[in-house]
Amino acid sequence: MGKVYQGIDGRLRAFVEAQSVFFVATAPSGDDGHVNVSPKGLAGTFAVVDEHTVAYLDLTASGAETIAHVRQNGRITLMFCSFERTPNVVRLHGRGRVVSCYDDDFAEWAALFDPNPHARAVIVVEVQRVSDSCGYALPLMSLDAERDLLTPNMDRRGPAGVVAYRRKKNATSLDGLTAFDDDPDPVRAE
């Protein structure tokens, strides 16, 4: 039923790019700490770069577990599930890196996606293993619409409010690892 592929071929690329939601899994090193699984959506925030590279636009949100774990050990898995008539589950296992909105190459990576002023990073994944499985037990579901809540929520905060939010909510992970602490300290910036 399942199969391992040499890379992301045209058929797999079409499948993953067509999914409205995907899941990102990471974990800290060692025996302790929380495993994190994050759902991702919003059209225009995922890209297949080549057969062994994918990236997604990481938006300012309530946590930064993926950033913390990727910065600590690089391990990451992305999973795409079909909820339409033809079942399929595709997993992309790899090594990730964080391109912060303050990094010199951020604009180059961000150009792959629809513009979003609240992007804090691009997560770039060098894919080491590509596999699929049947997905026979997944339900059939349809997409009614995208939720248009995250971007307007951040818009209401304004640029300084978004930075303050990230400094409060995104600086460390649940386990106390450094996460997104990239925003300049307003006291030092003056």
Side-chain angles (χ1 to χ4, degrees):
M1 288 163 89
K3 184 175 177 184
V4 176
Y5 299 88
Q6 294 299 313
I8 304 167
D9 63 21
R11 182 186 66 78
L12 291 171
R13 180 180 188 143
F15 173 78
V16 298
E17 288 180 339
Q19 302 315 304
S20 300
V21 65
F22 63 98
F23 301 88
V24 176
T26 59
S29 298
D31 295 333
D32 295 325
H34 294 82
V35 174
N36 185 62
V37 179
S38 294
K40 304 293 180 185
L42 201 58
T45 59
F46 175 81
V48 175
V49 179
D50 61 39
E51 288 187 343
H52 296 284
T53 311
V54 298
Y56 70 88
L57 195 64
D58 186 71
L59 303 174
T60 299
S62 59
E65 299 303 299
T66 300
I67 289 174
H69 297 160
V70 166
R71 283 183 166 166
Q72 186 199 43
N73 61 43
R75 297 178 305 169
I76 188 168
T77 300
L78 283 66
M79 184 177 74
F80 301 80
C81 304
S82 170
F83 298 105
E84 297 173 352
R85 180 61 52 200
T86 304
N88 196 14
V89 176
V90 172
R91 290 178 183 86
L92 307 176
H93 301 262
R95 306 292 296 176
R97 69 183 175 95
V98 178
V99 180
S100 167
C101 60
Y102 298 105
D103 290 344
D104 291 339
D105 56 344
F106 176 77
E108 179 183 341
W109 283 102
L112 295 172
F113 312 104
D114 293 345
N116 189 303
H118 310 301
R120 63 185 171 196
V122 173
I123 306 298
V124 179
V125 180
E126 298 303 322
V127 179
Q128 299 170 328
R129 184 176 192 273
V130 179
S131 65
D132 71 359
S133 56
C134 67
Y136 289 171
L138 295 177
L140 291 173
M141 297 188 299
S142 61
L143 175 67
D144 293 333
E146 287 201 18
R147 284 200 174 101
D148 189 20
L149 298 173
L150 183 62
T151 301
N153 177 284
M154 292 298 151
D155 285 343
R156 286 189 295 276
R157 296 172 190 277
V162 171
V163 169
Y165 180 88
R166 285 195 302 240
R167 291 185 61 76
K168 180 179 180 183
K169 300 266 190 181
N170 296 168
T172 58
S173 73
L174 294 172
D175 301 313
L177 298 173
T178 299
F180 192 85
D181 65 344
D182 302 34
D183 290 306
D185 186 340
V187 174
R188 287 189 219 149
E190 293 175 357

